[in-house]
Amino acid sequence: MTLEIQKNRTATKYSKKEQLLRVLWMLGGFFFRFSPRPFFGLRRSLLRLFGSQVGEKVNIYPSATIYFPWNLIIGDYSAIGEHALIYNLGPVEIGKNVTISHMAQVCAGTHDYTDPAMPLLKPMIVIEDNVWICTQAFVGPGISVKEGAVIGAGAVLTKSTEKWMVYAGNPAKPIKSRKLKKHNS
Amino acid sequence: MTLEIQKNRTATKYSKKEQLLRVLWMLGGFFFRFSPRPFFGLRRSLLRLFGSQVGEKVNIYPSATIYFPWNLIIGDYSAIGEHALIYNLGPVEIGKNVTISHMAQVCAGTHDYTDPAMPLLKPMIVIEDNVWICTQAFVGPGISVKEGAVIGAGAVLTKSTEKWMVYAGNPAKPIKSRKLKKHNS
Amino acid sequence: MTLEIQKNRTATKYSKKEQLLRVLWMLGGFFFRFSPRPFFGLRRSLLRLFGSQVGEKVNIYPSATIYFPWNLIIGDYSAIGEHALIYNLGPVEIGKNVTISHMAQVCAGTHDYTDPAMPLLKPMIVIEDNVWICTQAFVGPGISVKEGAVIGAGAVLTKSTEKWMVYAGNPAKPIKSRKLKKHNS
């Protein structure tokens, strides 16, 4: 038994349009990366220019990586922290009030390892409103993180979640429900 | 149910003094980052200038990140490796002879996820003498790592430890005691 | 009980030749890091110049780190992804058709934590043909990853594997066998 990686190498993985966008984003991404930290609006504009759907007051830090902006939807008041990686080879949809903490990875790409050519797959990820993906957590391909879920620090999530539950560990498991206090405003 | 991230955004998270220090550390951190690798003394001096208490012979590598130097105490002969992150939003106290290996994270910051405004919390971390935090390990907020403990590669530590025990896994669990050989000097 | 880190600091960890190579690789590594992404051949040549044995069509990305090129053997059609770390203080032998995905770490270095001087150890790692080390996975010192094994995303591997098995979790455990489909070419 052996793989046939040479077939993977010669496969067409991205459309001509996407290949062009990637080259242009090398340049756009440079401005993103070296933009001053408080210039969240500039980074929102850059992402929109490259095809992202970005809500109001979305705070994305300059050291975060949006791999393919054209595959990103992100809602109002969501945030993506320092050195986080949105590896959106496939579509990544993020709702409102979502926090993705520093160094977390949302990974919408994988390979079919049962195929000798290891073809690239790009399964969509959905992260619903009010979710918190903590630092160094990993959200795998094809997953839905349901409303209000918390994915703990360093957790490796390989299955979709329930709503308003807290997950931790590798592999991540539900450990308790998330109950919101009433606020006193 | 929904979060109220707009309240988090407008909350005062840092004092005026701390905000000023952060701006100055952007500059100081630049010299730290681009200092030549063997210039450990220069980096110790820079950290002290920004309020760290740094012992003798402390070796911190240029690619390590000390988020807030004014929240760092570190004892003699301790070391912080390449690309390690001391995310000391709250105080981090590190004893003597401590090794924090490359790419480890010590994370003294979190959010109260039961509060709709997700307020920032900064629970102190204490790492006692003779501890080894291995590569890619994660030490969470509010934890005490007791004397001589070893936190294995990639372990995610969410509770305080016993002394002279070895921890591994995610979540990290004690796996054996650490017994020192007698040395032959 | 206490460690004697000062003994570690004064120990000779690398030969004179290796110390010289490290200094030269600081320069060579700069060209590697800032080489354009499609220049895989240039990076192969650079690694060979520094003593790596590199097969044909090996694709190593510019943000990957080969710590000590003179301790690397890598076979035809293998690839090392973005921000992956080959921490080859000791020898790392990688076979053919191996994929090491972005941000994975192969760590051929550790310390004897039962010795007060924490002496540096450099146990060899072998990764056989047709293996896939997924993103953020960790392969520890002294391990053999046998032919065709898959080490899942974020998995922390601390023991050698079986052939053609899939491992996941921290600590990593075998979860299923990897069966290749017949291809239709």
Side-chain angles (χ1 to χ4, degrees), chain A residues 37 57 59 77-78 82 97 102 130 132 135-136 147 153-154 169-170 176 178-181 183 185, chain B residues 1-7 9 22 67 85 87 105 110-114 116 118 138 156 170-171:
Chain A
R37 185 180 168 104
K57 308 287 185 187
N59 280 4
Y77 282 103
S78 288
E82 296 175 272
N97 298 319
H102 62 285
N130 302 310
W132 181 20
T135 181
Q136 287 189 224
E147 199 192 325
N170 178 3
K176 57 181 162 181
R178 178 190 192 186
K179 295 207 175 79
L180 289 186
K181 297 179 219 170
H183 56 90
S185 61
Chain B
M1 279 194 299
T2 187
L3 301 180
E4 298 177 340
I5 299 292
Q6 70 278 20
K7 285 194 184 175
R9 294 283 175 85
R22 291 187 70 175
Y67 213 79
L85 171 58
Y87 195 68
Q105 182 181 175
T110 185
H111 297 279
D112 178 357
Y113 62 74
T114 68
M118 292 279 281
F138 175 85
V156 173
N170 178 4

Side-chain angles (χ1 to χ4, degrees), chain C residues 143-162:
Chain C
I143 282 178
S144 290
V145 186
K146 299 292 184 190
E147 197 192 328
V150 173
I151 313 304
V156 173
L157 188 68
T158 54
K159 293 177 182 168
S160 294
T161 74
E162 300 292 316

Side-chain angles (χ1 to χ4, degrees), chain C residues 127-142:
Chain C
I127 298 174
E128 296 184 356
D129 297 348
N130 302 310
V131 162
W132 181 21
I133 312 289
C134 299
T135 181
Q136 287 189 225
F138 175 85
V139 176

Side-chain angles (χ1 to χ4, degrees), chain A residues 20-21 62 78 111 116 162 166 170-171:
Chain A
L20 178 62
L21 280 168
S78 288
H111 297 279
E162 300 293 315
V166 180
N170 178 3

Side-chain angles (χ1 to χ4, degrees), chain B residues 98-101 104-106 126-127 130-140 143-176 178, chain C residues 110 113 118 170:
Chain B
V98 170
T99 300
I100 296 179
S101 290
Q105 182 181 175
V106 175
V126 175
I127 298 174
N130 303 311
V131 162
W132 180 20
I133 311 289
C134 299
T135 180
Q136 287 190 224
F138 175 85
V139 176
I143 282 178
S144 291
V145 186
K146 299 293 185 191
E147 198 190 328
V150 173
I151 313 304
V156 173
L157 188 68
T158 55
K159 292 177 183 170
S160 294
T161 74
E162 300 292 317
K163 292 182 180 187
W164 298 99
M165 285 290 291
V166 179
Y167 291 76
N170 178 4
K173 292 175 186 165
I175 56 168
K176 57 180 162 181
R178 178 189 191 186
Chain C
T110 185
Y113 61 74
M118 293 278 283
N170 178 3

